[in-house]
Amino acid sequence: MAWILLLGAGAIEIGMAVALRYADGWSRPVPSMIGIVLALASIFLLTHALKSLPAGTAYAVWTGIGAIGVAVVGVLAFGESTAPLRLVCIGLVVTGVVGLRLLDA
């Protein structure tokens, strides 16, 4: 169950980052509030996952899911770079997240 909570927290973290991108430096109230609410929801789920998972593992996976997800959204929705070295680096983060999950299994 903790891994499901952690996965949910990471997914919500992606939504938070996208909302904050649209917040335009906190100048747009609706995306700003959405970003804050999603950040709190993500931290809430992370906190519950930490009851069963090692803190270092959970935090690394949580930030990794967020980083990977935001990078993918950036490429697909915002036309960000798909330079080969960038994709390799994102792949390394994926490898690290999967590796941490396998080590905890």
Side-chain angles (χ1 to χ4, degrees):
M1 185 62 168
W3 282 101
I4 293 170
L5 292 173
L6 190 57
L7 185 63
I12 292 170
E13 191 77 5
I14 297 165
M16 183 240 10
V18 172
L20 292 180
R21 184 180 193 283
Y22 286 107
D24 197 30
W26 303 106
S27 66
R28 298 179 62 207
V30 172
S32 297
M33 289 307 299
I34 291 170
I36 290 168
V37 169
L38 291 176
L40 292 172
S42 180
I43 291 169
F44 176 82
L45 292 177
L46 173 64
T47 300
H48 285 284
L50 285 169
K51 290 179 183 178
S52 302
L53 297 173
T57 298
Y59 187 75
V61 170
W62 178 61
T63 57
I65 291 169
I68 295 161
V70 172
V72 169
V73 169
V75 167
L76 297 176
F78 304 123
E80 293 178 3
S81 171
T82 57
L85 188 55
R86 184 171 193 257
L87 296 178
V88 167
C89 291
I90 292 168
L92 290 171
V93 176
V94 171
T95 302
V97 168
V98 170
L100 287 170
R101 171 60 181 108
L102 293 175
L103 288 172
D104 194 60

